[in-house]
Amino acid sequence: MIRTALQPRLLALLAAVVLVVVGFVQLGMWQLNVSRDTAAKDALAHQQAQPAAPLHQVIKPHAAFRGEMSNRKVLVTGRYDASGQFLVPDRLLEGRRGYWVVTPLDEAGTRARVVVVRGFVTSPADAPAPPTTQVTVSGTLAPGESPGTTGALPAGQRGSIDLAELVNHWPQELYNGFVVAQGEQPDTAPAALRRIPPPRPESSFNLRNAAYAVQWWIFAAFAVYLWWRTVRDTHREARRRPSGIPDPDPAQPTHLSGDAS
């Protein structure tokens, strides 16, 4: 069958099929990217349209963090624990590299602890101490991060907001998520501490565009199948003909064996 596939006519057909397959695969990837972008924009718009709610009404301490909680607007009132403040290095904001200033806050009433990203600084020296009075933090909810760098960091720095690791250091009940602060009341933060915009949410595909992507890939697979089917049929036809006998010319009449009378 390989010799059959190497016939000029079938090689030319294969070249055309390759071009079709490449085009269909690219169209499928484009639809897949559209499905991701559309879903992310829809999820972000939905979450930002929700009114801010008290943190304990959105999630309970130690409860699992669900995907729809990402970027949910929340309010939490309590007091910061300055002794638990740390910096997370190698973070970017508007193209500048710096540090997240992260401080635990003990919620009034429940006494549960929530990690708050108070803002961004470009130098550890610019990280301010948290206020000592009770504050109300408004911000967006985010899931805990994976473990960060395992290399040695300066004192007061951590590679990430790894809640599974932090829970071992604090005796209080801990929320399984952290708050990216958009503001504090009263707001005493210095100008060097810049607020961080909500991160891009994780979201599911837009099913319609994802289905279009699969459809294009099915078309590509079908084009390959048609070429293989043509090669197979050509090979079988060649094997059915006796060796050395050319194809009959349909323009010539067929003579039956025996004497004509």
Side-chain angles (χ1 to χ4, degrees):
M1 186 178 290
I2 294 177
R3 293 181 61 184
T4 302
L6 294 177
Q7 294 178 10
R9 176 176 64 88
L10 294 176
L11 286 177
L13 180 60
L14 176 61
V17 168
V18 169
L19 292 176
V20 169
V21 168
V22 170
F24 284 177
V25 169
Q26 292 298 321
L27 286 169
M29 294 302 299
W30 171 70
Q31 286 288 355
L32 190 63
N33 290 330
V34 169
S35 73
R36 289 170 175 165
D37 293 342
T38 301
K41 291 177 182 178
D42 290 347
L44 180 58
H46 174 74
Q47 295 296 353
Q48 292 300 313
Q50 302 297 312
L55 177 64
H56 61 268
Q57 292 183 8
V58 177
I59 185 173
K60 302 298 181 184
H62 296 302
F65 190 98
R66 303 189 304 275
E68 65 269 19
M69 294 176 178
S70 290
N71 290 295
R72 183 72 166 82
K73 293 180 181 179
V74 294
L75 298 169
V76 56
T77 299
R79 292 179 180 269
Y80 285 116
D81 179 6
S83 66
Q85 179 166 293
F86 61 91
L87 303 179
V88 179
D90 295 326
R91 298 301 165 117
L92 293 174
L93 181 63
E94 297 177 354
R96 303 185 67 184
R97 189 172 298 276
Y99 304 80
W100 280 4
V101 180
V102 183
T103 314
L105 181 141
D106 295 329
E107 187 179 31
T110 67
R111 306 305 302 166
R113 176 160 289 196
V114 60
V115 175
V116 177
V117 179
R118 297 180 56 222
F120 171 92
V121 293
T122 56
S123 170
D126 293 332
T132 57
T133 58
Q134 180 170 285
V135 296
T136 296
V137 177
S138 58
T140 54
L141 195 57
E145 298 181 324
S146 301
T149 177
T150 57
L153 291 173
Q157 295 186 23
R158 295 181 181 273
S160 67
I161 304 179
D162 182 4
L163 298 175
E165 196 272 336
L166 290 172
V167 72
N168 296 319
H169 295 274
W170 297 328
Q172 300 94 328
E173 288 190 306
L174 184 66
Y175 281 101
N176 193 23
F178 63 90
V179 175
V180 181
Q182 305 300 310
E184 296 172 342
Q185 292 298 329
D187 194 347
T188 60
L193 182 70
R194 302 180 61 188
R195 303 298 184 189
I196 302 168
R200 185 181 181 88
E202 296 181 0
S203 58
S204 59
F205 286 164
N206 179 293
L207 294 179
R208 183 179 64 180
N209 292 100
Y212 289 158
V214 173
Q215 187 179 58
W216 282 116
W217 295 334
I218 291 174
F219 290 161
F222 188 68
V224 174
Y225 169 77
L226 288 179
W227 178 82
W228 173 84
R229 179 70 178 269
T230 302
V231 172
R232 188 195 66 177
D233 291 347
T234 302
H235 178 70
R236 288 180 175 177
E237 181 64 26
R239 292 185 63 182
R240 283 196 295 266
R241 293 195 301 270
S243 177
I245 298 179
D247 292 339
D249 187 347
Q252 299 295 328
T254 301
H255 297 286
L256 300 176
S257 61
D259 295 334
S261 57

